[in-house]
Amino acid sequence: DAGVIQSPRHEVTEMGQEVTLRCKPISGHDYLFWYRQTMMRGLELLIYFNNNVPIDDSGMPEDRFSAKMPNASFSTLKIQPSEPRDSAVYFCASSTGTGAYEQYFGPGTRLTVT
Amino acid sequence: SQELEQSPQSLIVQEGKNLTINCTSSKTLYGLYWYKQKYGEGLIFLMMLQKGGEEKSHEKITAKLDEKKQQSSLHITASQPSHAGIYLCGADRTGTASKLTFGTGTRLQVTL
């Protein structure tokens, strides 16, 4: 298996622009997680899905952030409009979610908002 | 998360030396996960501990969870340059293992 795939790997955009991050989880995994990592706040869970349904979005910073999972093999995290404080590395992870298990992380998308 | 503290924040050790990283929770844990991250890459799962007093080993890395399930340690024996990276502990506080809270991380450098 190719593992969790994220695109793009790097994104540089100007403040106010819309940004869309993409994730393809490992086939057969029914949990998908979006995280954000910064030097100041470390690794934070933004939202997670189970069987394509959002279960907990309490970590989403504000209404500018939205996430969707239209099917079992694809998810997006959108920021509109983007702000410089959104600059971070965004990780997607997936897992089987059955009992004790580990989450498999993608390589991340490094977002820079100027 | 302030509920999950890691120490030290950074560590520089000479190759061949042993080292220990600690992860302390302010609340009882259902499970404790250890991950390693290399710069510019995602997290790699190392080990998961669930039972108080549990200890697991993989190659030269050993992790323990104390009896009260509020503190875990990660011990590396005879460190190698390949051990360099950021080590993060993740806490399962819900019992479902579907939502992890991560510590601030420990940056490890191994010098020759």
Side-chain angles (χ1 to χ4, degrees):
Chain A
D1 199 311
V4 176
I5 299 173
Q6 291 187 248
S7 64
R9 291 294 310 275
H10 301 273
E11 177 79 39
V12 180
T13 190
E14 292 183 348
M15 182 174 65
Q17 296 298 307
E18 177 180 295
V19 175
T20 300
L21 311 181
R22 297 172 176 81
C23 175
K24 176 179 170 55
I26 293 174
S27 177
H29 284 189
D30 49 13
Y31 280 83
L32 183 139
F33 307 82
W34 282 102
Y35 290 89
R36 178 173 68 177
Q37 186 177 41
T38 62
M39 288 293 293
M40 291 296 294
R41 300 176 65 88
L43 188 65
E44 304 172 285
L45 177 66
L46 300 178
I47 184 172
Y48 77 91
F49 296 81
N50 178 213
N51 292 323
N52 313 337
V53 177
I55 302 301
D56 186 342
D57 65 354
S58 59
M60 295 286 263
E62 47 198 273
D63 293 344
R64 297 185 297 107
F65 285 69
S66 63
K68 294 182 180 179
M69 192 166 185
N71 56 63
S73 59
F74 183 66
S75 177
T76 59
L77 178 67
K78 185 176 294 185
I79 307 172
Q80 167 64 20
S82 58
E83 296 182 4
R85 59 188 168 133
D86 301 331
S87 298
V89 180
Y90 291 81
F91 288 102
C92 176
S94 70
S95 70
T96 59
T98 53
Y101 62 95
E102 69 260 33
Q103 297 179 17
Y104 292 82
F105 282 75
T109 294
R110 182 173 296 275
L111 173 64
T112 302
V113 183
T114 61
Chain B
S1 166
Q2 293 181 346
E3 295 181 350
L4 201 63
E5 296 285 342
Q6 282 188 238
S7 63
Q9 290 187 342
S10 64
L11 194 55
I12 302 174
V13 299
Q14 192 175 24
E15 183 178 7
K17 298 295 186 183
N18 303 336
L19 63 106
T20 299
I21 298 169
N22 294 302
C23 176
T24 303
S25 172
S26 58
K27 302 177 183 178
T28 300
L29 307 168
Y30 284 93
L32 192 289
Y33 294 71
W34 282 101
Y35 283 83
K36 178 186 175 184
Q37 182 181 24
K38 290 192 173 182
Y39 180 75
E41 300 179 15
L43 281 66
I44 303 297
F45 172 77
L46 296 176
M47 275 172 279
M48 183 268 297
L49 305 163
Q50 282 189 302
K51 300 177 183 178
E54 185 175 12
E55 179 176 321
K56 288 187 177 179
S57 294
H58 177 66
E59 297 180 344
K60 295 185 178 180
I61 301 176
T62 300
K64 300 178 185 179
L65 183 62
D66 74 353
E67 291 289 343
K68 294 183 179 180
K69 297 174 66 176
Q70 286 192 259
Q71 185 172 31
S72 178
S73 61
L74 186 82
H75 184 78
I76 299 177
T77 303
S79 59
Q80 301 171 351
S82 61
H83 289 128
I86 301 172
Y87 290 82
L88 295 103
C89 60
D92 172 12
R93 301 189 186 284
T94 64
T96 63
S98 56
K99 184 173 181 177
L100 299 181
T101 302
F102 283 90
T104 51
T106 295
R107 185 179 297 272
L108 171 65
Q109 291 179 254
V110 180
T111 61
L112 299 176

